[in-house]
Amino acid sequence: MLPYFSKRKATELRGRVVELTRQVVHGALGAAETDFVRGISSTVPLTVMCELLGVLDEDQGHVVGMCDRAFLGDTPEERAEAHQQLLPYLFAIGLRRQGDPRDDLISSPVTHEVDGRRLPLDEALLNLDNILVGGVQTVRHTSSTAMLALTRHPDAWEAMREDGYDPELGVEELLRWTSVGLHVLRTARTDTELAGRRVRAGERVVVWTPAANRDETEFEEPDRLRLDRTPNRHLALGWGPHYCIGAPLARVELAALFGVLSEAAERVEVLRPPVPNRSLINFGLDSLDVRLHPRAGRG
């Protein structure tokens, strides 16, 4: 599956991502209101993941609807029901791809062999479901909370629209600032010492990502949103062997979204208080009602 999330593949997809992003953003320009979470930040990653998975064009609307309910359903029961619909759909495609593999993300794991044996289909598809969740959730949470931050830091929004703005640096700072993955639990493999605290092999250690990304010994002015920050060794996408597999694609999608937004919109007005999600795993928003005010000559 790695080739589908490589930097090379993400670069190949950039044009398609920008095209989709323009369609979504321009469709919302001038509307009385738009839920940024459901109407903008979820749409592009869902569509891109469908295309990577090899979902048929005629099925994409159905699959996007299932994913939308699975990730954004109003109740746990609605989300669970949507996942129960999504998994059989993936299972059916996986069965077909085992006999007729193609150049898509589903064919790769369902035909992969280890010591001459294929992975069990249920294991391959559960991994795909996990990748689908990660591929959509990370971008959705990061982009919506980043948009809220930019409305609260107008100097950063203006910096994004100036000549000389570096979108790669900007995306890294938005990832650091939002830090949507709240924590990870790790087990120490050897005795060590962290910040004067003795940690013994076998003990559990929790990394609180937002705290790490505000570490004043690592980041100058950590509580300031600086889109030109460099270096920026944040942990928003993990580190080492646990680094996010979809990081290159997430960066392309985030850069496209805020690039198109800053070109098309004069400002983004928050219409009512955002609704935070209720999760112990990810920090994000369930809704962010906004109005995109077009730049002069648009809309």
Side-chain angles (χ1 to χ4, degrees):
M1 289 188 286
L2 283 173
Y4 292 93
F5 297 103
S6 65
K7 287 185 178 180
R8 179 178 178 179
K9 184 65 175 180
T11 300
E12 291 175 1
L13 289 171
R14 181 178 286 120
R16 175 61 175 154
V17 170
V18 171
E19 175 191 357
L20 288 169
T21 304
R22 285 201 177 112
Q23 292 174 10
V24 171
V25 170
H26 290 187
L29 278 176
E33 70 176 73
T34 299
D35 183 348
F36 193 89
V37 178
R38 297 170 187 262
I40 296 179
S41 65
S42 299
T43 306
V44 171
L46 273 173
T47 303
V48 170
M49 288 303 298
C50 280
E51 292 182 358
L52 285 175
L53 287 167
V55 173
L56 297 174
D57 290 346
E58 57 266 31
D59 288 349
Q60 283 200 13
H62 176 58
V63 174
V64 166
M66 283 192 291
C67 291
D68 197 46
R69 293 191 300 276
F71 305 140
L72 297 170
D74 293 328
T75 66
E77 292 77 16
E78 183 182 357
R79 293 192 290 271
E81 181 182 358
H83 270 294
Q84 290 167 4
Q85 295 172 351
L86 180 60
L87 285 171
Y89 179 86
L90 293 176
F91 195 89
I93 296 181
L95 281 174
R96 292 199 296 269
R97 293 294 191 272
Q98 281 189 327
D100 181 23
R102 303 180 185 181
D103 183 17
D104 59 43
L105 186 54
I106 287 184
S107 297
S108 177
V110 301
T111 59
H112 183 69
E113 295 186 354
V114 178
D115 296 329
R117 300 176 117 186
R118 284 185 175 178
L119 290 173
L121 187 57
D122 57 344
E123 289 186 19
L125 294 177
L126 284 172
N127 274 288
L128 279 173
D129 182 67
N130 191 44
I131 286 174
L132 180 60
V133 170
V136 175
Q137 296 282 66
T138 298
V139 175
R140 174 169 74 91
H141 288 317
T142 300
S143 59
S144 57
T145 53
M147 187 68 258
L148 180 62
L150 289 167
T151 65
R152 293 173 172 175
H153 296 81
D155 57 327
W157 172 255
E158 290 303 320
M160 186 176 283
R161 291 146 50 87
E162 293 175 356
D163 292 339
Y165 166 70
D166 186 332
E168 292 186 4
L169 292 183
V171 165
E172 296 308 314
E173 179 66 350
L174 292 174
L175 284 164
R176 181 194 76 88
W177 184 267
T178 56
S179 297
V180 298
L182 291 176
H183 56 76
V184 290
L185 180 66
R186 296 288 180 258
T187 302
R189 298 180 63 182
T190 61
D191 292 346
T192 189
E193 185 175 299
L194 291 173
R197 181 72 177 265
R198 187 71 176 170
V199 179
R200 300 186 182 280
E203 289 185 335
R204 301 295 182 90
V205 179
V206 178
V207 178
W208 292 94
T209 312
N213 286 342
R214 295 292 201 282
D215 185 351
E216 59 188 14
T217 65
E218 176 65 31
F219 302 99
E220 183 180 350
E221 298 183 294
D223 294 324
R224 183 181 168 200
L225 183 60
R226 290 174 39 191
L227 298 183
D228 61 349
R229 184 182 298 276
T230 185
N232 196 343
R233 297 173 66 247
H234 63 77
L235 302 179
L237 296 171
W239 196 262
H242 298 285
Y243 194 66
C244 176
I245 187 175
L249 181 56
R251 287 184 166 104
V252 165
E253 291 173 344
L254 290 167
L257 175 57
F258 289 105
V260 171
L261 274 170
S262 61
E263 291 173 0
E266 184 65 31
R267 65 187 179 94
V268 178
E269 176 188 3
V270 177
L271 300 177
R272 55 188 60 90
V275 178
N277 69 329
R278 299 164 67 181
S279 172
L280 298 175
I281 301 172
N282 293 309
F283 171 71
L285 302 175
D286 278 346
S287 68
L288 176 64
D289 296 325
V290 301
R291 180 179 294 128
L292 304 185
H293 293 269
R295 296 186 73 169
R298 295 182 180 271

